[in-house]
Amino acid sequence: MFAHIPLMIVPFVVYNLGLAGLFGDLGDPWQAEMFSLTMLSGGIWAMSLADMMVLLALALLFVEIVKATRTSNASVVDHLLSTFVFVAFLVEFLLVRQAASSLFFILMAITLVDVLAGFAVSLRAASRDVNFR
C-alpha cells in the first residue's frame, strides 16, 4: 500500500511544517545553516536547510523514477497521485505568500520532472512489453 504513495509528498509536507514553525521561531527557517566545512583550498562550504531539502527531493526523485519502471495496473494510480502532488505544489505556489520562494519553486520543478519522467519511463517500458508479431 505504501508503495503507491508518491514520495514527493514528503518535501511538500516538510516545507509546510517548516512554515508552521516546526523548526523553531525563525524568520525564514530554510536559510538556517546546518553545518559548514573548511575545504583544503581554504574556502568554506556551508549547507543550509534549504540545500538539504533539495538533496532530499532529488533522492526521492530517483526512487520515484525507479518505481516508474514497474509495469502494472497500479502504475496508473502512481502517476495520478504524483500529478495530484504537483497540482498541490502549483496551487500553493500561486496562492500562499510563504510558498513564493525559490526553494518551493525548485521543489515544484522537481515534482514536475517526477510526473513527466514517470509517464515517459512507463510508456517506454510498456512499449517493450507489446509484441505485434
Side-chain angles (χ1 to χ4, degrees):
M1 173 168 169
F2 290 114
H4 302 299
I5 296 174
L7 296 177
M8 296 310 294
I9 193 86
V10 172
F12 183 76
V13 169
V14 171
Y15 187 90
N16 285 310
L17 289 174
L19 291 181
L22 178 72
F23 305 124
D25 189 25
L26 304 171
D28 184 6
W30 302 109
Q31 298 308 316
E33 185 177 301
M34 298 304 292
F35 64 88
S36 63
L37 296 172
T38 302
M39 307 304 285
L40 292 175
S41 65
I44 297 175
W45 174 59
M47 182 73 107
S48 70
L49 191 57
D51 298 332
M52 302 227 358
M53 183 70 129
V54 170
L55 282 176
L56 171 70
L58 288 172
L60 293 174
L61 175 63
F62 173 75
V63 174
E64 283 290 321
I65 290 174
V66 170
K67 280 176 35 179
T69 61
R70 297 179 303 189
T71 54
S72 68
N73 294 338
S75 64
V76 174
V77 173
D78 287 342
H79 298 316
L80 186 63
L81 293 175
S82 292
T83 304
F84 287 151
V85 171
F86 172 70
V87 169
F89 264 102
L90 183 62
V91 167
E92 185 168 343
F93 181 71
L94 295 173
L95 299 179
V96 177
R97 181 183 308 263
Q98 293 88 351
S101 68
S102 60
L103 170 62
F104 196 80
F105 180 79
I106 291 169
L107 294 174
M108 183 178 68
I110 290 171
T111 305
L112 177 62
V113 170
D114 171 35
V115 170
L116 296 176
F119 281 116
V121 168
S122 291
L123 288 174
R124 184 74 174 164
S127 69
R128 291 184 181 151
D129 293 340
V130 176
N131 189 0
F132 292 108
R133 289 187 218 169

